Amino acid sequence: MSTCNILLNNSPSSSFWSHDDDLPELQARILIEDAEKVGGYTVFCLTLKHRSIFHKLDKWSLILYNTLHSFWFRRLFEVAICLLFLLPFFEWPSSLTVNSNIMLNPQRPQLPCGVTESIEFVCFFVILAESTLLSLAFGGSWVKTNPWLLGRFVLCAVYFVDFFVSLGLQCTEFYRIRRFLRPYFLISSSQMMKKLLNCVRRTLPKLLSTLFLLLFWLVSASLVALCLYSSPQPPTPGRNMTRSSSFPDLYTSMFNLLVLTTTANHPDVLVQQYAENRAVAIFSMVFLGVGLFVFMNILTAIVYSEFRGYLAVSLPGIHYF
């Protein structure tokens, strides 16, 4: 049996907590495990079993690092993240109603104050413990170079203050700042989501230029539609003088044409005008031909090209935080 297999077959818990351990052997075993799981794999946007070789190599740091990547702790952390995103279904105002029609004034279940807050506090404590173990295992100099982890500590402080404000007001406040902070904990725990955000940031310059062209096209088409269809139509036998319901003003015209770009309201938005003059079909074909088949395809091509190129380059060089 090779030396690597011997090191990997040793139990982590027994190796760490026994007093006869050889530190170089522990270091070698941990580094071998890091090398095996340096890429990790992704489930539900969480990069699981992702390891790094940049942690400290003293005994206590290795103990903390091993605890951080133990099976039970990773499962506990994943459950905590999931519960944080499930809590809004039970927090007031709850969306768990029998009927979704708000006009019927459905009875919303309201749990006593402290029930969801207790679950939230446990989840928050698990996230804070994971961040603390990560900081202790890698050291302060490493933490200073990782804005995601620093941001997590800052948001934890804000989360902690808002949590106790909520308890002080007996859960009667309507706005809870910590609800807006929960996605950050998920993003900072996922290598893939952080790379996607970075890719979006790199794509924005090209994307904004195309969006500006699309906006210019919408404004121009809206002005043309206002000139053609907003004036009252002359009365005809059996019909009174009417005004276009789809293009009464600039705002409504832009909104309807924006929806028309996706063909969601086609041809309903132009039925009234087409019934009065079939030449409206020319406007429809020109607008959809340029907006849908040119600008929308350009947007799709930019997003696909940038994401494909960035992810192809960045995925092989994945780093911890």
Side-chain angles (χ1 to χ4, degrees):
M1 184 180 295
S2 64
T3 305
C4 294
N5 291 333
I6 294 175
L7 293 175
L8 290 174
N9 289 333
N10 290 334
S11 172
S13 58
S14 61
S15 299
F16 274 120
W17 297 107
S18 60
H19 297 285
D20 299 328
D21 285 338
D22 187 16
L23 183 58
E25 181 180 340
L26 294 177
Q27 294 171 345
R29 181 172 58 79
I30 292 297
L31 291 175
I32 291 173
E33 292 177 354
D34 293 342
E36 282 190 336
K37 302 171 183 178
V38 67
Y41 58 89
T42 303
V43 176
F44 296 115
C45 298
L46 288 174
T47 302
L48 308 178
K49 293 188 177 181
H50 180 77
R51 306 287 288 261
S52 172
I53 62 173
F54 299 107
H55 52 80
K56 296 188 292 185
L57 294 176
D58 59 278
K59 181 177 179 180
W60 288 108
S61 296
L62 292 178
I63 292 175
L64 296 176
Y65 184 75
N66 185 70
T67 304
L68 179 66
H69 288 286
S70 60
F71 175 82
W72 63 269
F73 190 84
R74 298 317 303 174
R75 300 294 87 76
L76 182 63
F77 181 76
E78 294 161 16
V79 170
I81 292 291
C82 292
L83 286 178
L84 278 182
F85 282 88
L86 290 176
L87 280 179
F89 290 101
F90 302 93
E91 294 174 332
W92 186 87
S94 174
S95 59
L96 296 178
T97 57
V98 178
N99 197 314
S100 60
N101 189 356
I102 60 175
M103 298 181 63
L104 300 178
N105 194 18
Q107 186 67 27
R108 298 178 182 271
Q110 185 172 359
L111 298 176
C113 180
V115 176
T116 58
E117 284 73 17
S118 300
I119 300 175
E120 185 180 10
F121 181 78
V122 173
C123 297
F124 171 74
F125 179 78
V126 172
I127 294 174
L128 185 61
E130 197 263 354
S131 305
T132 304
L133 288 176
L134 195 62
S135 303
L136 295 176
F138 282 82
S141 58
W142 179 86
V143 173
K144 294 177 182 178
T145 61
N146 289 271
W148 285 102
L149 187 58
L150 291 175
R152 189 188 288 186
F153 281 116
V154 173
L155 294 187
C156 280
V158 178
Y159 201 100
F160 187 77
V161 172
D162 186 71
F163 178 81
F164 280 96
V165 169
S166 178
L167 291 181
L169 296 176
Q170 297 181 353
C171 311
T172 57
E173 82 285 6
F174 186 77
Y175 297 102
R176 297 184 180 182
I177 300 176
R178 61 184 184 275
R179 290 179 178 175
F180 299 97
L181 307 181
R182 291 172 184 172
Y184 183 88
F185 298 124
L186 174 63
I187 296 173
S188 63
S189 305
S190 170
Q191 296 294 321
M192 181 60 69
M193 293 193 69
K194 286 186 286 188
K195 288 185 176 295
L196 288 177
L197 285 179
N198 196 14
C199 188
V200 170
R201 180 183 60 82
R202 291 164 54 95
T203 309
L204 280 179
K206 293 183 179 179
L207 203 61
L208 289 177
S209 61
T210 308
L211 288 175
F212 178 78
L213 289 176
L214 180 60
L215 177 62
F216 178 77
W217 174 247
L218 283 176
V219 173
S220 303
S222 300
L223 293 176
V224 172
L226 281 175
C227 294
L228 294 178
Y229 311 126
S230 64
S231 58
Q233 301 296 325
T236 59
R239 182 173 63 86
N240 296 326
M241 182 177 294
T242 59
R243 183 182 294 271
S244 172
S245 59
S246 300
F247 307 100
D249 52 63
L250 181 61
Y251 174 79
T252 306
S253 301
M254 286 188 61
F255 179 79
N256 287 332
L257 290 179
L258 177 62
V259 178
L260 181 61
T261 307
T262 65
T263 68
N265 59 353
H266 183 272
D268 300 340
V269 71
L270 296 173
V271 166
Q272 178 184 350
Q273 289 74 25
Y274 182 78
E276 297 169 353
N277 190 345
R278 292 191 176 184
V280 174
I282 300 176
F283 174 82
S284 175
M285 289 186 291
V286 173
F287 177 78
L288 289 178
V290 177
L292 177 61
F293 296 105
V294 176
F295 288 117
M296 296 302 290
N297 284 337
I298 291 176
L299 283 175
T300 305
I302 289 175
V303 173
Y304 175 77
S305 176
E306 290 294 323
F307 270 68
R308 181 185 180 187
Y310 177 74
L311 292 179
V313 173
S314 62
L315 282 180
I318 193 169
H319 296 289
Y320 200 92
F321 268 80

